[in-house]
Amino acid sequence: MAKLISFDIDGTLETGDPPGRITMDLVRQARDLGYIIGSCSDRTVGMQKRMWETHGITVAFTVLKHCLDQVRAAHDAEHYVHIGDTNIDKYYAELHGFTYFFPDESIDHLWQAE
Amino acid sequence: MAAANEYKWRREKDGLGVWEHRGKVAVAGFGHSPVDRRWDGVSMDKTLGAYAMLACQKAMDEAGITADQVDGIVCCDSHIAGPSGGSASKWAPRPYFAPPYDSELGLTLVNAEWLIKQMGFKNVKFAPTKLPTIGEMVGMASQAVGDGVCSNCLVIYPCGNLEGRYRRGGENAEDHARGARQWTVPWGNHGGNDFINIFPHNQYCLKYGGKHDDLAPYVINQHRNGMLTPWGFNANHGIEPITVEDYVTSRYILNPLRLWDCDRPVNTATAYLFTTAARAKDMKQKPVYVLNHSQHNFKQRTTQPDLDEIELWTDIAAKRMYEGAGLGPKDVDIFNPYDGYATMSQFFLEGFQWHGVKRGDALKFYAGDIRVEGPHPFNSSGGNLGTGRVRCAMYTDAIEQLRGTAGKRQVTVRAETALAAFTTPSSGGWIMFGKHPG
């Protein structure tokens, strides 16, 4: 069963405001490693979709920050991860059964092939 | 340079009558720096100090005066977005610099003394310290010019933002909520209007009917007006308009206050030039006259105000303003109340009875045509919600509407008087502008 990574945008992805540590190339690598990927942000869903389209990345979900439960309901995964830079990310991730990571070197292991 | 903290300039009592300087003071120029999301801590041309200087220069250029002609500086010398944040606003995501560079002045702080030195204002004789927020500063400047304390007075309002969690300084940085804070901010909230206005807003919906999300048309229109404001954050940073769906699905910051009910902290500075009506006639721009200024600072009965208090306070504020301006609700063409939290505006709208809106009518009014092109161009400025936490859009829009230079925001109704404010229901100030002095 696949694993799932949810990306916050602002402060997490390089396209965010402020820009975060995770590049779009890194997102593509996650996809290529077999992760179910998508975004979970306070940006509107429309803005999230346009961001992914701009970078030519097809994602499985685009949801609002407090809606990670919808991701969990819609996607069967072995492990659910949310990466975000604020305490709000941590709060909603843990509320909905996701493992939370701050976007620093603590996430590097996610990109290492098992 | 005179420190004028003892100067009695406030109009914060009932029954003061028509303002003695009505129509004798004018705004002759304004200037906005760029509006950034935050200072990056590196770019020295984008500090709050650099932006304050830029805003001053723009205001002087617009009016057509030089630094030598400025004799008054009214600059908010406090921290992020003014002193209303208290110790919480003394915050930075880094330690302050070690001596001899142990000052944030020019970086995240600005004051009159620093500006005078940096910009070479040689003839300043009025530069008070420990100033209130912009809502009262414009009144102070108006009174000072009217009283002859100074003649060409720059009002500067810096609003800063840095990386990291907003306003997590002072008590908000502590691990404990001490004293009365245990009842109001046990989770570390900064105790701003988000919390203060939630209870009365809920009471409002219970008393008059309607629901929180009936604010959606107002918030969406504020964003729309913001996109029509060329200097604002939204118009310059690819912010897209929001829809009703976006609004009603956004997360709660504090139920029922939604994300889109809150303004977006920014890093920017704004300046206005107040002068005598006589001098303004010879300056570059069409003068916009000050018809009155008033302030209020009400004492609340408990830790949180309730609807009755807020309605009483806004009634009193309206009465003071109308009395001092010699005008009534039907005389006000442009109405730009504060909207730092969307839940606040309805109290002002109803208190001032703009366009006949009475208590309990605001949500229905929002559902009508409040676009700038329409018959009820409510808050044509876009306010904080549309331009970022500048706290000055209300004033700039009022000036532009009366000049007839508001561009795509120019209202189609009469634009000869304008009310603007940065204020909460409990404390702050209002100012009335006129296209004509009389």
Side-chain angles (χ1 to χ4, degrees):
Chain A
M1 191 179 292
K3 297 177 183 177
L4 181 149
I5 300 180
S6 157
F7 295 98
D8 169 45
I9 298 174
D10 296 315
T12 298
L13 297 180
E14 66 173 332
T15 53
D17 181 11
R21 180 173 181 265
I22 300 175
T23 64
M24 285 294 144
D25 280 345
L26 210 53
V27 173
R28 290 188 187 91
Q29 287 176 34
R31 177 197 60 194
D32 294 345
L33 285 168
Y35 285 106
I36 300 168
I37 59 167
S39 53
C40 171
S41 164
D42 279 328
R43 291 193 181 202
T44 64
V45 169
M47 287 185 77
Q48 293 182 47
K49 286 180 175 173
R50 278 184 284 281
M51 179 195 76
W52 293 120
E53 286 168 9
T54 299
H55 291 85
I57 298 174
T58 301
V59 294
F61 58 91
T62 48
V63 298
L64 297 174
K65 184 89 86 179
H66 55 299
C67 298
L68 278 174
D69 54 336
Q70 296 173 8
V71 175
R72 199 178 173 92
H75 301 278
D76 284 331
E78 176 186 341
H79 190 194
Y80 298 87
V81 167
H82 176 69
I83 304 171
D85 69 319
T86 71
N87 61 326
I88 299 298
D89 290 286
K90 184 173 189 290
Y91 172 77
Y92 283 112
E94 293 177 352
L95 181 68
H96 297 306
F98 283 61
T99 301
Y100 166 77
F101 289 103
F102 187 84
D104 57 14
E105 59 276 3
S106 68
I107 62 172
D108 291 349
H109 71 279
L110 297 171
W111 276 262
Q112 291 165 1
E114 293 179 354
Chain B
M1 179 178 69
N5 295 330
E6 70 282 2
Y7 175 45
K8 304 295 183 190
W9 59 272
R10 291 176 178 273
R11 288 175 55 78
E12 56 181 356
K13 294 178 183 172
D14 299 329
L16 291 177
V18 174
W19 185 39
E20 67 271 25
H21 302 305
R22 184 184 192 274
K24 297 173 185 168
V25 176
V27 178
F30 68 84
H32 285 276
S33 78
V35 185
D36 297 337
R37 183 72 171 88
R38 61 185 70 77
W39 181 45
D40 61 10
V42 177
S43 305
M44 295 307 289
D45 59 339
K46 296 181 178 181
T47 63
L48 208 54
Y51 276 3
M53 291 171 63
L54 180 60
C56 286
Q57 193 60 56
K58 283 186 171 183
M60 290 189 294
D61 290 348
E62 210 211 17
I65 68 164
T66 61
D68 289 350
Q69 293 172 273
V70 172
D71 61 357
I73 297 285
V74 172
C75 177
C76 183
D77 52 0
S78 188
H79 305 268
I80 307 298
S84 58
S87 64
S89 62
K90 296 177 181 174
W91 142 85
R94 54 172 167 73
Y96 280 8
F97 296 122
Y101 307 106
D102 55 346
S103 172
E104 290 290 310
L105 284 171
L107 300 177
T108 62
L109 299 178
V110 184
N111 66 16
E113 185 180 0
W114 184 87
L115 269 175
I116 289 167
K117 191 173 176 183
Q118 297 296 321
M119 297 197 70
F121 292 119
K122 297 171 184 169
N123 298 314
V124 172
K125 57 185 182 183
F126 179 66
T129 58
K130 297 181 180 175
L131 293 183
T133 52
I134 184 70
E136 295 167 90
M137 288 163 62
V138 291
M140 183 188 216
S142 299
Q143 191 67 37
V145 169
D147 288 346
V149 174
C150 57
S151 300
N152 292 322
C153 184
L154 275 174
V155 173
I156 302 104
Y157 197 62
C159 276
N161 188 28
L162 301 160
E163 189 179 345
R165 296 186 71 195
Y166 191 66
R167 279 187 168 176
R168 284 301 181 273
E171 292 175 313
N172 283 349
E174 295 181 2
D175 290 334
H176 296 89
R178 303 179 196 284
R181 287 171 60 86
Q182 69 185 295
W183 308 114
T184 55
V185 287
W187 54 82
N189 185 291
H190 64 65
N193 282 293
D194 46 2
F195 197 49
I196 292 169
N197 285 315
I198 286 307
F199 292 128
H201 176 65
N202 282 336
Q203 286 181 295
Y204 179 96
C205 292
L206 285 170
K207 181 176 180 179
Y208 298 116
K211 57 187 186 304
H212 172 82
D213 287 349
D214 292 337
L215 291 176
Y218 171 50
V219 175
I220 290 167
N221 197 59
Q222 286 295 82
H223 278 249
R224 181 176 188 268
N225 289 345
M227 294 303 289
L228 303 176
T229 306
W231 56 261
F233 181 86
N234 290 22
N236 289 288
H237 291 82
I239 305 299
E240 298 178 9
I242 59 169
T243 64
V244 173
E245 176 74 7
D246 292 332
Y247 180 84
V248 300
T249 58
S250 64
R251 74 177 162 90
Y252 292 122
I253 299 300
L254 185 66
N255 192 343
L257 191 82
R258 293 188 179 279
L259 183 78
W260 297 110
D261 294 324
C262 307
D263 60 11
R264 185 191 310 257
V266 292
N267 197 65
T268 190
T270 310
Y272 299 98
L273 183 78
F274 284 71
T275 188
T276 63
R279 283 181 175 81
K281 286 178 183 171
D282 296 326
M283 294 185 184
K284 280 170 68 176
Q285 307 298 326
K286 199 182 293 182
V288 170
Y289 299 92
V290 180
L291 303 184
N292 187 29
H293 68 90
S294 66
Q295 297 75 39
H296 53 274
N297 188 5
F298 300 108
K299 188 175 183 181
Q300 46 193 61
R301 295 175 297 196
T302 62
T303 53
Q304 305 296 332
D306 62 20
L307 181 63
D308 289 341
E309 283 175 296
I310 282 185
E311 292 189 338
L312 174 65
W313 295 339
T314 46
D315 283 346
I316 293 172
K319 188 179 176 188
R320 283 180 191 172
M321 171 46 72
Y322 285 140
E323 180 181 334
L327 300 173
K330 291 178 181 174
D331 301 315
V332 179
D333 301 328
I334 306 299
F335 188 56
N336 282 328
Y338 189 54
D339 68 332
Y341 297 99
T343 46
M344 253 190 283
S345 303
Q346 73 222 34
F347 303 125
F348 303 127
L349 171 61
E350 295 175 0
F352 283 81
Q353 298 183 32
W354 188 70
H355 282 211
V357 179
K358 300 289 198 305
R359 292 293 179 199
D361 290 344
L363 299 180
K364 291 188 281 288
F365 179 78
Y366 291 162
D369 188 355
I370 57 174
R371 299 171 308 131
V372 290
E373 303 92 332
H376 308 294
F378 179 58
N379 220 335
S380 49
S381 67
N384 276 25
L385 295 176
T387 66
R389 195 170 213 241
V390 183
R391 285 182 172 170
C392 289
M394 301 79 70
Y395 304 102
T396 300
D397 178 72
I399 295 163
E400 290 187 314
Q401 295 287 357
L402 299 195
R403 282 181 180 172
T405 58
K408 292 179 180 176
R409 278 188 347 278
Q410 188 68 49
V411 300
T412 57
V413 297
R414 186 183 64 181
E416 296 189 353
T417 59
L419 251 177
F422 163 68
T423 183
T424 67
S426 65
S427 63
W430 290 84
I431 189 166
M432 181 83 81
F433 296 111
K435 184 175 183 178
H436 308 291

